Amino acid sequence: MSYRIVHYINQFFAGIGGEEKADYKPEAREGVVGPGQALNAAFKGRAEIVGTVICGDSYFAEHMAEASAEILEMIRKFSPDAVIAGPAFNAGRYGTASGAVLELVSRELKIPVVGGMYPENPGVELYRKSAYIVRTSDSARGMGPAVQGMAALALKLLDGEKIGTPEEEGYIERGLRKNIFLDKVGGERAAEMLARKLRGEPFKTEYPMPVFDRVAPNPPILDMKKAVVALVTSGGIVPKGNPDHIEASSATHYGEYSLEGVLTADADHYETAHGGYDPTYANKDPNRVLPVDVLRQLEKEGVIGKLHEKYYSTVGNGTSVANAKRFGEEIVGKLKKDGVDAVIVTST
Amino acid sequence: MKEIERGGIPVVHVCTIVPISQTVGANRIVPAVAIPHPLGDPTRTHEEEVQIRRNLVLKALKALGTEVHEQTVFTD
């Protein structure tokens, strides 16, 4: 008898549509949909996808509690032995939804769960402790190895086999500690490691220090009436025609644009370059992402001192952390030079 | 956003998916309307929409004027 698997995927991989369908409500279908076929093939008859649950990425993100509960019930009805979600690659909302579903299933149904994501997917940091997340490439070009890894790990978990280290099994480190016995005591191993380090040889720590990149909050603005406030967005609002050719995804640069004399970010002069959400609403009224109109009002009323005469924009859609960090460092240097007191960052 | 904070300017993040903002490390967070229109609502009239946007921006300014010691979500 083969194991019963339920597969969770988003509206895109279900073939329902792209961003214009991202508000698609949860739906259960019998059998395989989309990437489930490749997963089924990778199971080689040992497990079978009996049902697929689909949900739009934006719908899930905007209705997390209701959507999770509904999806859990849909999954429960298939009486699965395990649940697989994704692979979500570097899609942030999809990764977050996959992780949330897997966490809930693991807690409520107490069955094995496996996801698949690129290590920079925000779903990893949120859910790696709750689920095995197989390390994948950043885009669907890596579908083949991703489903192979996910299927293999799922079968191992279903068989009750011992799961090896993240490197051995290809999943992302979960931050869990396991006691194991080794021939050499800790002191001896540490001394060997130190000796290797001193000789300039490669060595591997047994306990990597967690990296918490947190920044302490800055003191508040005491007198907003005198403050120069700047707008920065990852929602991709650019002057019409996207003069700097900011990429629709995986942006490698940002734009700096003048707001001098601009009273509103209207549709005649602005648009979005973002490829990761339905652009209809932002293109119809770009103030919905870059609120120039109300900031001009508040400036006129004296609520703020001044709206900074430049704004900065990039596309936060699979953009690498390294690039985003560089944009931020450069932008803050410019803002400080221009005497900006406070910043509003908007994201889609 | 975090680099702007690190650079010494107080920053507020107006966004819809609050858990992602928290994971990334924003200190002042204002939840927005929806992913494709964080500061607007196309189902409303233009006047109502501007009012919604104005309230969100005022909330963001209030967050910038509030002393915080840890990640804070400004819900009202």
Side-chain angles (χ1 to χ4, degrees):
Chain A
M1 203 196 79
S2 69
Y3 295 114
R4 296 170 64 84
I5 309 288
V6 170
H7 190 206
Y8 175 84
I9 56 174
N10 71 356
Q11 88 287 349
F12 177 76
F13 283 99
I16 292 166
E19 287 304 329
E20 78 287 357
K21 294 285 184 194
D23 57 354
Y24 197 80
K25 289 185 180 167
E27 185 199 339
R29 290 192 197 168
E30 300 276 335
V32 167
V33 179
Q37 296 201 344
L39 267 174
N40 250 358
F43 289 137
K44 296 191 173 69
R46 299 211 39 231
E48 193 193 353
I49 295 175
V50 293
T52 304
V53 175
I54 303 153
C55 183
D57 285 336
S58 289
Y59 184 84
F60 192 94
E62 290 168 6
H63 309 86
M64 256 188 197
E66 305 102 281
S68 310
E70 205 178 331
I71 288 165
L72 178 66
E73 283 321 302
M74 288 174 171
I75 290 173
R76 195 198 298 270
K77 285 198 182 118
F78 287 112
S79 321
D81 298 310
V83 172
I84 294 184
F89 305 106
N90 199 19
R93 284 166 304 160
Y94 188 17
T96 308
S98 300
V101 167
L102 295 178
E103 181 183 61
L104 190 66
V105 166
S106 167
R107 195 176 64 223
E108 298 295 322
L109 306 184
K110 303 197 171 24
I111 54 174
V113 294
V114 174
M117 298 180 207
Y118 180 64
E120 285 190 6
N121 191 314
V124 168
E125 199 50 44
L126 285 163
Y127 297 109
R128 68 190 172 99
K129 288 192 172 143
S130 314
Y132 285 102
I133 301 173
V134 169
R135 182 184 288 264
T136 73
S137 66
D138 62 351
S139 80
R141 283 190 297 274
M143 183 64 88
V147 297
Q148 290 298 334
M150 290 162 74
L153 187 58
L155 287 174
K156 260 194 160 173
L157 287 163
L158 283 161
D159 288 341
E161 274 184 49
K162 194 173 163 287
I163 303 298
T165 63
E167 294 83 39
E168 287 162 11
E169 308 284 356
Y171 63 89
I172 294 171
E173 191 186 306
R174 302 187 59 189
L176 306 177
R177 261 197 263 181
K178 239 182 195 170
N179 288 324
I180 52 169
F181 289 99
L182 292 172
D183 295 335
K184 290 178 184 167
V185 298
E188 214 174 320
R189 303 201 302 275
E192 279 175 9
M193 235 185 277
L194 179 61
R196 294 188 76 94
K197 185 173 181 174
L198 290 171
R199 287 196 299 264
E201 291 171 10
F203 66 97
K204 193 165 163 292
T205 178
E206 291 177 12
Y207 186 62
M209 287 294 123
V211 187
F212 291 115
D213 186 24
R214 287 288 181 261
V215 181
N218 285 311
I221 302 297
L222 297 176
D223 190 0
M224 199 58 77
K225 290 182 178 62
K226 290 197 180 126
V228 178
V229 179
L231 274 174
V232 175
T233 186
S234 66
I237 302 298
V238 291
K240 201 132 192 169
N242 191 8
D244 295 326
H245 307 290
I246 294 173
E247 299 92 334
S249 71
S250 306
T252 58
H253 58 296
Y254 61 91
E256 174 190 85
Y257 304 108
S258 170
L259 283 176
E260 247 180 296
V262 177
L263 295 180
T264 172
D266 61 33
D268 291 338
H269 301 93
Y270 295 90
E271 64 183 3
T272 182
H274 203 294
Y277 65 90
D278 182 350
T280 315
Y281 313 105
N283 282 341
K284 208 159 174 212
D285 184 357
N287 289 295
R288 287 169 175 158
V289 178
L290 191 77
V292 176
D293 59 349
V294 301
L295 277 161
R296 284 295 184 211
Q297 277 179 9
L298 296 170
E299 179 183 50
K300 204 170 152 198
E301 293 165 21
V303 177
I304 61 168
K306 192 176 173 321
L307 172 62
H308 182 47
E309 63 193 19
K310 289 174 201 151
Y311 82 93
Y312 295 86
S313 179
T314 189
V315 165
N317 181 21
T319 304
S320 74
V321 173
N323 273 339
K325 195 172 157 66
R326 174 171 60 80
F327 302 164
E329 285 164 0
E330 291 179 17
I331 290 169
V332 75
K334 295 177 185 186
L335 294 172
K336 275 162 81 177
K337 208 175 101 229
D338 288 344
V340 167
D341 299 303
V343 177
I344 298 176
V345 175
T346 66
S347 291
T348 44
Chain B
M1 175 182 52
K2 199 156 57 187
E3 298 313 316
I4 294 173
E5 188 98 80
R6 206 191 308 272
I9 305 180
V11 55
V12 58
H13 194 202
V14 182
C15 65
T16 306
I17 315 180
V18 172
I20 291 186
S21 180
Q22 287 168 320
T23 305
V24 174
N27 289 319
R28 293 174 170 94
I29 303 168
V30 170
V33 178
I35 293 161
H37 44 84
L39 292 117
D41 184 348
T43 65
R44 306 296 186 94
T45 66
H46 180 68
E47 288 68 34
E48 287 173 335
E49 204 182 346
V50 170
Q51 193 57 46
I52 290 170
R53 177 150 60 246
R54 187 181 161 97
N55 290 342
L56 276 171
V57 170
L58 283 171
K59 204 185 280 182
L61 292 173
K62 194 180 140 201
L64 287 168
T66 305
E67 177 150 4
V68 300
H69 300 285
E70 55 185 356
Q71 290 190 301
T72 308
V73 180
F74 291 80
T75 43
D76 45 37

